[in-house]
Amino acid sequence: MTSWAGRTAAEIAAAVREKRVTPREVVAAHLARIERWDDRVGAFRTVRAEAALAEAEEVGARGDLAELPLAGVPVAVKDNLTVRGEATRNGSAATPDTPAGADHVTVARLRAAGAVVVGLTNVPELCVFGTTEGVYGTARNPWDPARTAGGSSGGSAAAVAAGLVPVALGNDGMGSLRIPAANCGLVTLKPGHGVVPAGIGEGDWFGMSENGPLATTVEDARLVLTVLADGGPFRRAEPGALRVAASLRSPVAGVPVAGAYRAAVREAAGVLMKAGHQVRRADPPYPASLGLTAVTHWTAGTSVDARSLDPRRLARRTRVHAAVGRRFVRTVATGAERERLRRRLEPFFAEYDVLLTPALARRSPEAGPWHERGWLRNMAANSVCSPFTPPWNLTGWPAMAVPFGTLASGAPCAVQLVGRPGAEAALLELAEQIERLRPWRRTAPAA
């Protein structure tokens, strides 16, 4: 008997459309894998076993089954997006345990395309930090369970990397897709502003947060993004020879970059040159104030999200983060700092089509009770790992993480690709060329 757990979304959807397997059989196989492995991984806050099987039956009975791009594909959804009939806890004891009356627009689009939601995934409280742990559990990197999966889409990344689902939905306000994808050996793309519907929290962190997929292949990432964007700009199109700037410089002054991540950029630059692209070493003109700008926007976004919640039920690190951000909300809301950053970086992206950087500066912290530790300790742990992701939330430009190489522990390493507005299709093409020339192992070996 063929096992459908561990297959790509594209393979599953094709088999279901051709009636070589039923949606129920596919979903049941993934639920069995979740039951077997998730205690070790900590990907899910809640698993919708009975509801998912019933919904799989409904998909199988649809008259348009042969046209569904995600026919019978099990998906996991980050627990800050509403799923009809399920509470949205956002990693917090302070949020109401009230079932949502409707799906978030992105969830609705996945379901309309034939996908089946099997569960909601763990996040750090209010999706603030780059590690995933809290009152609902700890999401671990399936490649290196002693380490966090990253955050804030850590549960979604762990679910995909462990083969519990082929694809998952997450979002990214300061790197929350790219950080866990880089840790867990996955492909993700944070689309540019307005490409995929957002609607995340109370105002999308001033427009910095975007929804996107976590996948094991570029094909699956493109497939899900096309559904999320309702047929958006992700179709294959040969980009020709692109001008690529390869940079090892941390956008945040004083943050060192580990050798494995520097080597990944150098080797990826060679791969892109082999593919016919023009690659040069060049650093964007990051302002010296970028680190402070990132912190003010990061904390202000949390302050807005926490306004309606009982602070006594929030973890101390979250309370402090929100309290710090309150003084910045009015200034951040003007968008002036973000516009200045865009103007400063636009000439660089007129000279280069794509920026290639390390995805992270070092491997992820150990998995543990970070939600019980102090705010400064959390801030330090986050800042030294992921200085490369925040600039592209501030600008609102597309950026993606692509697996490349391995760390000494055997866990994946990764690079980041960044483009100007509208460059999503070109970034996906570059990532697909890297995948073809330097293929990666799709899921972690069984623990």
Side-chain angles (χ1 to χ4, degrees):
M1 180 178 175
T2 300
S3 173
W4 291 95
R7 302 291 191 94
T8 69
E11 289 173 328
I12 290 169
V16 169
R17 288 193 298 266
E18 295 163 9
K19 298 192 175 180
R20 291 185 280 120
V21 66
T22 68
R24 183 184 177 92
E25 288 171 328
V26 171
V27 169
H30 285 82
L31 289 172
R33 187 169 176 85
I34 291 168
E35 185 175 8
R36 182 179 180 188
W37 294 113
D38 195 43
D39 282 349
R40 305 186 190 188
V41 176
F44 287 92
R45 176 183 69 81
T46 187
V47 177
R48 309 175 66 248
E50 185 175 339
L53 289 171
E55 290 165 19
E57 293 275 12
E58 294 172 4
V59 171
R62 284 176 59 167
D64 60 348
L65 183 67
E67 285 80 49
L68 299 179
L70 293 175
V73 173
V75 299
V77 174
K78 186 176 180 179
D79 193 23
N80 67 341
L81 299 171
T82 57
V83 172
R84 184 182 64 251
E86 304 291 340
T88 308
R89 300 310 304 265
N90 209 356
S92 180
T95 52
D97 188 17
T98 306
D103 288 330
H104 186 275
V105 60
T106 54
V107 177
R109 287 181 178 181
L110 293 176
R111 281 181 153 156
V116 178
V117 178
V118 298
L120 286 86
T121 58
N122 275 319
V123 299
E125 187 170 54
L126 305 191
C127 299
V128 174
F129 295 101
T131 59
T132 294
E133 62 291 302
V135 293
Y136 300 112
T138 297
R140 298 174 179 272
N141 185 343
W143 295 89
D144 186 1
R147 299 269 159 184
T148 177
S152 62
S153 306
S156 286
V160 177
L164 309 184
V165 288
V167 290
L169 182 59
N171 36 57
D172 190 317
M174 277 283 165
S176 290
L177 281 167
R178 289 161 290 155
I179 294 166
N183 284 328
C184 296
L186 302 177
V187 178
T188 193
L189 190 150
K190 179 197 76 68
H193 184 62
V195 174
V196 169
I200 305 159
E202 301 295 328
D204 306 327
W205 275 17
F206 306 97
M208 296 189 300
S209 291
E210 306 293 345
N211 291 310
L214 290 146
T216 63
T217 67
V218 179
E219 180 183 29
D220 276 4
R222 181 188 284 109
L223 174 62
V224 176
L225 281 162
T226 302
V227 169
L228 294 176
D230 199 19
F234 305 113
R235 304 292 184 187
R236 283 186 175 84
E238 286 299 328
L242 297 178
R243 301 164 300 170
V244 180
S247 175
L248 300 175
R249 178 191 166 195
S250 168
V252 178
V255 177
V257 182
Y261 289 97
R262 297 171 68 89
V265 169
R266 295 190 187 101
E267 292 175 26
V271 168
L272 294 178
M273 290 177 67
K274 184 178 179 180
H277 302 289
Q278 303 168 18
V279 183
R280 292 180 54 191
R281 281 286 301 273
D283 296 326
Y286 301 119
S289 60
L290 182 57
L292 179 60
T293 301
V295 169
T296 58
H297 285 69
W298 181 16
T299 56
T302 301
S303 177
V304 172
D305 282 348
R307 278 176 179 168
S308 62
L309 302 177
D310 182 349
R312 295 169 299 180
R313 304 197 72 188
L314 296 174
R316 185 173 180 274
R317 66 174 182 176
T318 311
R319 290 200 305 273
V320 173
H321 205 76
V324 169
R326 276 197 289 272
R327 70 196 70 186
F328 303 125
V329 169
R330 186 172 297 178
T331 301
V332 163
T334 68
E337 283 294 326
R338 297 179 65 202
E339 181 56 30
R340 276 194 286 272
L341 180 62
R342 281 190 286 266
R343 288 200 304 267
R344 184 181 180 100
L345 293 172
E346 280 167 354
F348 182 86
F349 280 89
E351 184 175 357
Y352 297 100
D353 301 303
V354 173
L355 171 66
L356 167 69
T357 76
L360 301 172
R362 63 172 66 181
R363 66 178 179 168
S364 60
E366 79 279 1
W370 286 94
H371 60 297
E372 297 174 358
R373 296 169 184 166
W375 179 72
L376 284 175
R377 190 174 174 191
N378 273 274
M379 291 292 285
N382 280 242
S383 298
V384 299
C385 285
S386 53
F388 291 96
T389 55
W392 317 114
N393 298 94
L394 292 165
T395 60
W397 297 347
M400 67 182 301
V402 183
F404 199 98
T406 57
L407 305 177
S409 65
C413 194
V415 296
Q416 178 178 237
L417 300 172
V418 182
R420 62 174 75 94
E424 288 86 357
L427 295 182
L428 287 164
E429 286 296 329
L430 282 186
E432 201 157 51
Q433 291 171 359
I434 292 173
E435 182 180 24
R436 184 169 60 249
L437 294 170
R438 285 289 297 270
W440 52 81
R441 187 169 180 176
R442 291 181 41 251
T443 54

